[in-house]
Amino acid sequence: MTAAAFRALHRVRGADGPLVLPGPWDAASARAFADAGFPALATPSAGVSASLGYADGAAPPAEMFAAVARIARAVDVPVSADIEDGYGLPARELVARLLETGAVGCNLEDSDRAGHGLKDPREQADRLAEIRAEAGDALVVNARVDTFLWGDRDLTSALARARLYAEAGADCLFPIVAPPEFLAPIAAETGLPVNALAQPGGLTPRELGARGASRVTFGGGLHRSAMAVVERIAAGLRVT
């Protein structure tokens, strides 16, 4: 499926609820989600990093791109890749390496993982514009807004960033861990689909959709749930 078809999935949900994108961490999990009937997948950096033996944010870019390529090759549905903050790569190289994996979308966050703070919003908007120019319509760009992680958790600040990123050419906005009541105002202000993070014990994807989310992802949550099952199996195998 092309990026155009993936882009369209964000806008034609209606009564079907939001676009739910499970997060595979390897080829086997990707096949399981695709076989279950999900129309697209979105890799989580945390889950992929953990499957490669790294902490979230510590996987080398080459290993992350290789993992995304294995996932994309394993399924016939579109795959969007979480590429963290872009690894400091120039826009041309970043886009080229993404397209080589077979991914048709990406997440790009606006926080500085090393400094645990937010990037300048205008500089981030400029970077998004460069990526948009390099990719054309070949990538669905999901621009993460991290004010609710590292900023003042204020809707006004999130909206200011969201507007800039929309003007820069983002296809979707991801105000990660935003209060659900902020999803609809961000969508209305920008005219773009909004990605919500489903969290354990929180609202269901359908409930998030009712509050304004067009797209729902899970971060590393599905990988953590799967590993909890593995740990229980491992504990049951111990010989006492």
Side-chain angles (χ1 to χ4, degrees), residues 1-228:
M1 185 181 289
T2 65
F6 181 43
R7 191 175 286 111
L9 288 175
H10 293 69
R11 296 186 176 274
V12 293
R13 306 313 299 165
D16 293 333
L19 175 62
V20 178
L21 300 176
W25 51 92
D26 60 13
S29 59
R31 288 194 194 100
F33 291 132
D35 289 348
F38 289 97
L41 307 173
T43 69
S45 66
V48 174
S49 294
S51 74
L52 296 172
Y54 297 99
D56 188 18
E63 292 194 42
M64 183 63 73
F65 287 123
V68 171
R70 289 191 292 272
I71 289 168
R73 284 197 303 268
V75 296
D76 293 325
V77 300
V79 172
S80 181
D82 182 348
I83 54 169
E84 302 174 357
D85 65 354
Y87 310 114
L89 298 173
R92 177 169 296 182
E93 181 181 354
L94 182 63
V95 169
R97 294 181 73 172
L98 265 171
L99 294 177
E100 285 172 0
T101 70
V104 297
C106 67
N107 278 11
L108 195 70
E109 60 196 48
D110 65 350
S111 57
D112 175 3
R113 285 175 176 253
H116 298 295
L118 292 167
K119 295 183 177 180
D120 178 85
R122 293 194 178 276
E123 291 179 2
Q124 181 69 0
D126 289 344
R127 179 156 169 75
L128 288 167
E130 291 176 357
I131 291 169
R132 175 85 288 152
E134 290 292 339
D137 292 332
L139 286 174
V140 175
V141 178
N142 188 31
R144 220 173 80 173
V145 178
D146 286 3
T147 53
F148 301 102
L149 276 179
W150 308 116
D152 55 16
R153 300 177 178 270
D154 180 70
L155 177 59
T156 301
S157 299
L159 283 173
R161 287 177 177 266
R163 282 192 294 267
L164 285 171
Y165 302 165
E167 292 167 2
D171 296 287
C172 185
L173 297 165
F174 186 9
I176 189 169
V177 301
E181 61 268 23
F182 290 174
L183 300 174
I186 293 172
E189 178 72 20
T190 62
L192 290 182
V194 171
N195 187 150
L197 179 70
Q199 301 183 76
L203 298 181
T204 66
R206 185 166 291 278
E207 289 169 336
L208 290 167
R211 285 159 175 78
S214 295
R215 161 174 164 162
V216 175
T217 52
F218 300 84
L222 299 179
H223 175 262
R224 288 192 294 272
S225 295
M227 289 309 301

